[in-house]
Amino acid sequence: MRVVVQRCRDASVTVDGTVTGAIGEGLMLLVGVTHEDTEKDAKYLADKVAGLRIFEDEAGKMNFSVTDTGGAILSVSQFTLYGDCRKGRRPNFMAAAAPAEAERLYDYFNQELRRGGLQVETGIFGAMMDVSLTNWGPVTLLLDSRG
């Protein structure tokens, strides 16, 4: 499972002209699922995201997590995180999990974040989405449950 984490001042996702999720300060997440992923991977990454210390304290050091700051999360499914671009010019998405399993684990991941007390907004799984954010810093990290 892969998650692109972006610290943001604000973020939103729109589907067919309707905002389906929006947050102020917090984390914008792009979430991808591959064939071998399990609930263990989803829980590991939810715990990692919730505790990731990437918000600055009064001294300017990254000492606070989104949980510490009371920030929110915008989580968007993103199967293209498993696109393989090594051959040819068109990405191969064979490593992405089948939609039903990917949606199940994506939902589980979001439930785990909520279980930790975080506000989690989402897009619509499988929909064509427009994502907007103000990346704060910028701070962007790639997390992978497989190392």
Side-chain angles (χ1 to χ4, degrees), residues 13 31 53 63 70 77 84 98 104 110 123 125 136 145:
V13 60
V31 182
R53 297 185 329 175
N63 276 326
S77 62
D84 184 349
R104 185 184 76 77
N110 292 327
F125 187 91
W136 179 12
S145 64

Side-chain angles (χ1 to χ4, degrees), residues 33 35 79 96-106 125-126:
V33 180
H35 301 289
F79 79 95
E101 183 62 6
E103 185 173 14
R104 185 184 76 77
L105 288 174
Y106 169 70
F125 187 91

Side-chain angles (χ1 to χ4, degrees), residues 64-119:
F64 296 127
S65 69
V66 68
T67 302
D68 298 329
T69 64
I73 290 179
L74 178 60
S75 175
V76 176
S77 62
Q78 180 89 47
F79 79 95
T80 62
L81 291 179
Y82 280 100
D84 184 349
C85 299
R86 292 176 291 180
K87 294 182 181 175
R89 294 178 187 253
R90 185 182 320 214
N92 173 326
F93 298 107
M94 298 298 291
E101 183 62 6
E103 185 173 14
R104 185 184 76 77
L105 288 174
Y106 169 70
D107 288 344
Y108 182 81
F109 170 79
N110 292 327
Q111 288 171 5
E112 287 298 305
L113 289 169
R114 288 182 183 111
R115 200 166 294 158
L118 291 164
Q119 172 195 345

Side-chain angles (χ1 to χ4, degrees), residues 5-12 21-29 54-57 60 62 66 69-74 119 121 131-140:
V5 178
Q6 297 179 82
R7 185 178 72 179
C8 64
R9 296 243 184 236
D10 56 72
S12 64
I23 63 168
E25 289 185 2
L27 299 176
M28 166 64 207
L29 308 179
I54 60 174
F55 291 88
E56 296 171 358
D57 63 15
M62 290 185 178
V66 68
T69 64
I73 290 179
L74 178 60
Q119 172 195 345
E121 300 287 323
V131 179
S132 176
L133 80 144
T134 304
N135 191 320
W136 179 12
V139 174
T140 302

